[in-house]
Amino acid sequence: MTQAKLKQLVQASLIASAFAISAGHPASAAAPLAKTNAPGFHRIMLGNFEVTALSDGTVDLPVDQLLAEKPAKTTEALSKVFLKAPLETSVNTFLINTGSKLVLVDTGAASLFGPTLGKLLANLKASGYDAAQIDEIYITHMHPDHVGGLAQGAAAAFPNAVVRADKRDADFWLSQANLDAAPAASKGFFQGAMGAIKPYQSGDKFKPFDGKTELVPGIVATPSYGHTPGHTAYTVTSEGKTLLLIGDLIHVPAVQMGKPGVTIQFDSDAKAASAARAKVFAQAAKEGTMIGASHISFPGMGHLRSAGKGYEWVPVNYTQLR
Ligand SMILES: [Zn+2]
């Protein structure tokens, strides 16, 4: 190839690339989509306590079929906030560093609820803590998306932790007689709870409590029975600031904030679940208490504001913790 010909080719190629760039088409291959999000933790201070919401992932739920509401009404309520069924639903857990104890409230699903969950341990690590550092684990209730993460196979995922839950949930979900009597479709719930708690029972590290109990200074188990027989909220208080971790008192804010009377199929006792929601929400709205919820969009922390016969959800402001 002659020098002149080579120069001509180089020029042609430069012109071609310039044209591609100016036309908005990069000359090289497009970068692949990253398809990941930021690590799933969100941290705030509550008085002197550090609170970290930790994501276990999300799961798609056919909420139009699960709520005790006409499917068309659920679809309409969802579309008003730009959502649809099946609803990508967050599974959140909460880590509280009181300064003397490291307490985890709920543990996500591990492998019990499908492949999109089970991210808790990775997100805990990303947030700067290790599973072995956790002193206490408080369970809101023993459904698989709350206790599954306790176990890693047959071993305890949190080797140094004591696990606490209301004895009403322990008596119900850990009962062989209840497992035997349960319909086939529900047996997995009992088996999941039993498998998750077992590694702690054998080490004498599972310690049920009976109703309202201060478990460590600043964290009080607060009965909110109904969703399950022993469903428990946890009231976290430091320096006069309060955060109420409400577990599964709500699943679909788009519907249940406006109509708190709407229940969901997962409720063991729908009437009691609805009454517990009514009581806790009324008090939290009145007192301006911050809420942390297992299934409100991550990080699931915010406030309730009274609106007509229901509530509006006001998510927490972002903070850099400076
Ligand atoms: Zn749940």
Side-chain angles (χ1 to χ4, degrees):
M1 196 181 288
T2 65
Q3 200 69 15
K5 180 76 182 163
L6 186 62
K7 201 174 167 192
Q8 210 176 14
L9 279 175
V10 169
Q11 266 172 349
S13 124
L14 283 175
I15 290 164
S17 347
F19 180 77
I21 289 162
S22 69
H25 300 289
S28 55
L33 305 187
K35 294 253 182 171
T36 53
N37 214 325
F41 72 91
H42 181 91
R43 187 162 283 153
I44 63 165
M45 290 302 292
L46 182 82
N48 292 330
F49 291 1
E50 181 200 79
V51 177
T52 309
L54 293 165
S55 173
D56 191 50
T58 61
V59 62
D60 289 352
L61 292 181
V63 296
D64 52 335
Q65 307 301 316
L66 292 169
L67 289 173
E69 172 66 295
K70 289 196 179 77
K73 291 219 161 185
T74 295
T75 305
E76 188 189 327
L78 288 170
S79 74
K80 277 187 186 159
V81 289
F82 310 98
L83 297 172
K84 60 180 170 35
L87 179 64
E88 186 176 359
T89 303
S90 292
V91 175
N92 309 322
T93 71
F94 298 92
L95 182 72
I96 303 134
N97 189 339
T98 70
S100 56
K101 291 282 180 192
L102 194 57
V103 178
L104 179 64
V105 176
D106 284 342
T107 63
S111 61
L112 295 186
F113 223 82
T116 57
L117 295 175
K119 320 280 189 210
L120 171 62
L121 289 179
N123 287 327
L124 174 69
K125 203 161 185 107
S127 83
Y129 289 102
D130 191 81
Q133 290 176 288
I134 296 191
D135 300 302
E136 310 245 333
I137 298 173
Y138 304 156
I139 297 297
T140 59
H141 63 295
M142 293 196 181
H143 278 165
D145 52 322
H146 299 261
V147 291
L150 281 171
Q152 253 185 335
F158 303 93
N160 300 312
V162 168
V163 176
R164 316 286 316 261
D166 190 288
K167 72 188 286 291
R168 289 155 190 79
D169 246 41
D171 292 347
F172 184 75
W173 296 108
L174 306 180
S175 153
Q176 185 64 41
N178 286 351
L179 166 62
D180 294 342
S186 309
K187 285 192 194 295
F189 279 62
F190 292 89
Q191 289 157 337
M194 289 173 183
I197 299 287
K198 200 172 174 200
Y200 300 87
Q201 278 174 319
S202 35
D204 199 25
K205 285 180 160 180
F206 177 59
K207 299 186 186 301
F209 54 80
D210 185 4
K212 188 172 179 180
T213 310
E214 184 170 49
L215 299 170
V216 286
I219 307 183
V220 178
T222 309
S224 53
Y225 307 145
H227 179 60
T228 64
H231 183 279
T232 296
Y234 293 94
T235 308
V236 185
T237 309
S238 173
E239 302 285 304
K241 299 258 191 287
T242 300
L243 168 69
L244 184 62
L245 300 175
I246 62 168
D248 278 17
L249 282 184
I250 185 165
H251 293 80
V252 189
V255 174
Q256 293 172 296
M257 284 291 175
K259 286 186 177 177
V262 174
T263 57
I264 194 159
Q265 267 180 36
F266 304 135
D267 292 332
S268 289
D269 178 339
K271 215 171 153 185
S274 176
R277 178 164 49 251
K279 184 179 167 210
V280 169
F281 278 25
Q283 195 177 347
K286 191 171 153 217
E287 294 175 2
T289 305
M290 190 188 288
I291 295 286
S294 302
H295 300 305
I296 293 181
S297 186
F298 183 77
M301 292 192 283
H303 290 85
L304 296 169
R305 186 165 56 200
S306 288
K309 288 180 179 161
Y311 301 91
E312 282 170 0
W313 176 244
V314 184
V316 282
N317 190 34
Y318 181 68
T319 171
Q320 289 198 101
L321 296 175
R322 56 178 181 267

